[in-house]
Amino acid sequence: MFNFFTFFSNTHTIDQFIFFMVLAGIIVPSIAIILGIVFANLKKWGKEKRWYSLSACGIAWLIISALMLIML
Amino acid sequence: MFKKCLKYDLKSIFSVWWIGALVLIAFSIPAGLSLRSIFSSTPLYSLDYFEDIGMLFIILFVFLLASFALFSDILIYSRYYHHFYTDEGYLTFTLPVKRSTLYNAKLASAVIVKLASVLVLSFALILFLSISGLGFAEAVRELFLYLTLDFEVITLFILKLLTIFLSSLLTLFTIFFVITLVNSFLKKHKVLAGVGLMYALNIVAQYFTNVYTFILMDQKPYTIYDPSFAFQALTDMFIILAMLTAIVLLYNLTLSMLKRRLNLQ
């Protein structure tokens, strides 16, 4: 079973950072990009173009996360 | 039409808001005088009885500071709910105005009221500290000198201010989203559902904040905390973009629900 406290101990700092950055820096922004494109083209919801703003934010977020991973 | 909607929203909120603002500013003066008297070698009051009343003013002032912030938020959310989801809502949605215009007017009025509240709170605090004579003017002068010294310091300060502003905006968008969601889909127990949903969203946000703080901001020797300007700026921009994405998602979802689902009873 996943043990939150032993995983987030001082000996696994780089692993924690990569885990967090992959989850919050790559997976979540990717979901935002996909959601934005899907909803912008959904006929049932009127193909509203304002959903592309969500994809734009996701892309910017992804770029910042990539820069942080490069700096590490 | 947007300007008219905004005007009526602001008129409705400010017609009550000004009372709270006036009471807060009025209380800052006796509270400041009381604090001045407590720290002065020649107190204004010669009797202990007046010193107790002075302490009461200070405690009341601190209580009013917190209450005023909450009061102005309640006015915003109450206006949103009453204007869209009560008997008034029947009239609102029969107007020849787009739903997006109505919603954007609500958001704009909420931001204006929040900024006005911050200004009033700052003014009351400045008045209180200036009257109390605690060297407030010198502290502000030193802070100003510190901020104008370095481009990096100014940039990080602006990023931090932007983080605080977006955090407040995210709370606003979240509460509007929750009010719209529970009123669009539920017929009963709306308050309970709304409170539960807010609690769940807060737990998720707290989880990410705690993990982020633990890994990136903790200054123990084993973390990857890096005090360089580039890394600090990137971590601030990471948080800003995460909040901005959440805000855009909540905005779009709320507007979609307003356009498609109307559950007025």
Side-chain angles (χ1 to χ4, degrees):
Chain A
M1 189 179 145
F2 177 73
N3 190 327
F4 183 89
F5 297 103
T6 55
F7 182 78
F8 286 109
S9 68
N10 288 337
T11 55
H12 297 291
T13 306
I14 299 294
D15 299 337
Q16 294 161 27
F17 178 67
I18 292 172
F19 171 78
F20 177 77
M21 285 309 291
V22 166
L23 178 67
I26 296 171
I27 294 176
V28 176
S30 304
I31 292 171
I33 294 167
I34 293 165
L35 272 179
I37 294 168
V38 164
F39 284 132
N41 293 290
L42 212 58
K43 221 176 182 180
K44 197 180 172 185
W45 282 29
K47 285 192 175 182
E48 284 160 339
K49 300 302 168 203
R50 59 185 163 82
W51 282 100
Y52 282 126
S53 55
L54 183 62
S55 300
C57 287
I59 289 167
W61 189 359
L62 205 57
I63 291 168
I64 295 290
S65 309
L67 282 171
M68 283 176 79
L69 277 167
I70 289 166
M71 275 193 77
L72 181 68
Chain B
M1 284 310 286
F2 172 77
K3 280 186 188 166
K4 274 195 177 151
C5 293
L6 181 63
K7 178 185 155 192
Y8 285 115
D9 282 333
L10 288 173
K11 217 173 162 180
S12 166
I13 295 172
F14 280 129
S15 62
V16 182
W17 178 91
W18 72 271
I19 300 167
L22 199 65
V23 167
L24 177 67
I25 290 169
F27 258 91
S28 65
I29 298 166
L33 286 170
S34 302
L35 193 64
R36 189 189 191 96
S37 175
I38 287 167
F39 285 108
S40 169
S41 55
T42 51
L44 290 172
Y45 316 116
S46 55
L47 299 170
D48 288 338
Y49 175 71
F50 282 109
E51 201 172 295
D52 290 339
I53 294 179
M55 276 307 297
L56 191 63
F57 271 121
I58 295 169
I59 293 166
L60 265 174
F61 176 69
V62 171
F63 173 74
L64 278 172
L65 278 174
S67 307
F68 178 71
L70 188 62
F71 170 69
S72 58
D73 277 353
I74 287 171
L75 283 177
I76 292 167
Y77 303 132
S78 163
R79 171 71 184 161
Y80 182 84
Y81 171 71
H82 281 104
H83 204 219
F84 281 170
Y85 295 109
T86 58
D87 292 340
E88 209 179 322
Y90 283 107
L91 181 62
T92 305
F93 290 114
T94 57
L95 295 169
V97 182
K98 286 196 285 187
R99 304 271 166 100
S100 56
T101 306
L102 290 167
Y103 182 54
N104 291 336
K106 288 281 172 295
L107 288 172
S109 64
V111 170
I112 291 168
V113 169
K114 274 187 180 275
L115 285 171
S117 302
V118 165
L119 282 170
V120 165
L121 282 165
S122 307
F123 178 70
L125 209 53
I126 288 167
L127 197 60
F128 168 71
L129 290 171
S130 303
I131 291 172
S132 66
L134 286 175
F136 178 68
E138 288 81 14
V140 169
R141 205 178 303 125
E142 277 195 40
L143 176 68
F144 182 72
L145 279 170
Y146 174 72
L147 287 176
T148 52
L149 278 175
D150 205 10
F151 164 76
E152 290 177 3
V153 168
I154 297 168
T155 309
L156 288 177
F157 181 70
I158 291 170
L159 285 174
K160 291 278 184 285
L161 275 181
L162 199 55
T163 310
I164 294 167
F165 175 69
L166 283 177
S167 166
S168 174
L169 221 54
L170 183 58
T171 310
L172 175 76
F173 276 81
T174 307
I175 294 179
F176 277 3
F177 167 74
V178 167
I179 293 173
T180 309
L181 184 71
V182 299
N183 282 284
S184 297
F185 290 95
L186 299 176
K187 292 190 193 304
K188 283 198 236 179
H189 308 300
K190 292 179 188 179
V191 174
L192 197 62
V195 169
L197 188 56
M198 273 305 298
Y199 191 63
L201 290 171
N202 270 329
I203 286 175
V204 170
Q206 276 287 328
Y207 172 77
F208 277 107
T209 311
N210 289 342
V211 170
Y212 176 82
T213 309
F214 180 83
I215 292 172
L216 284 169
M217 309 306 257
D218 198 352
Q219 297 198 30
K220 288 188 223 160
Y222 307 107
T223 65
I224 49 101
Y225 174 77
D226 181 357
S228 70
F229 165 70
F231 192 78
Q232 291 300 305
L234 275 178
T235 50
D236 286 343
M237 283 166 69
F238 181 88
I239 286 285
I240 286 167
L241 281 165
M243 287 197 284
L244 201 59
T245 308
I247 285 168
V248 168
L249 175 66
L250 290 168
Y251 172 81
N252 284 316
L253 282 174
T254 310
L255 198 48
S256 295
M257 280 190 288
L258 279 173
K259 284 184 175 183
R260 276 163 203 85
R261 290 196 65 96
L262 209 58
N263 189 21
L264 298 171
Q265 296 181 54

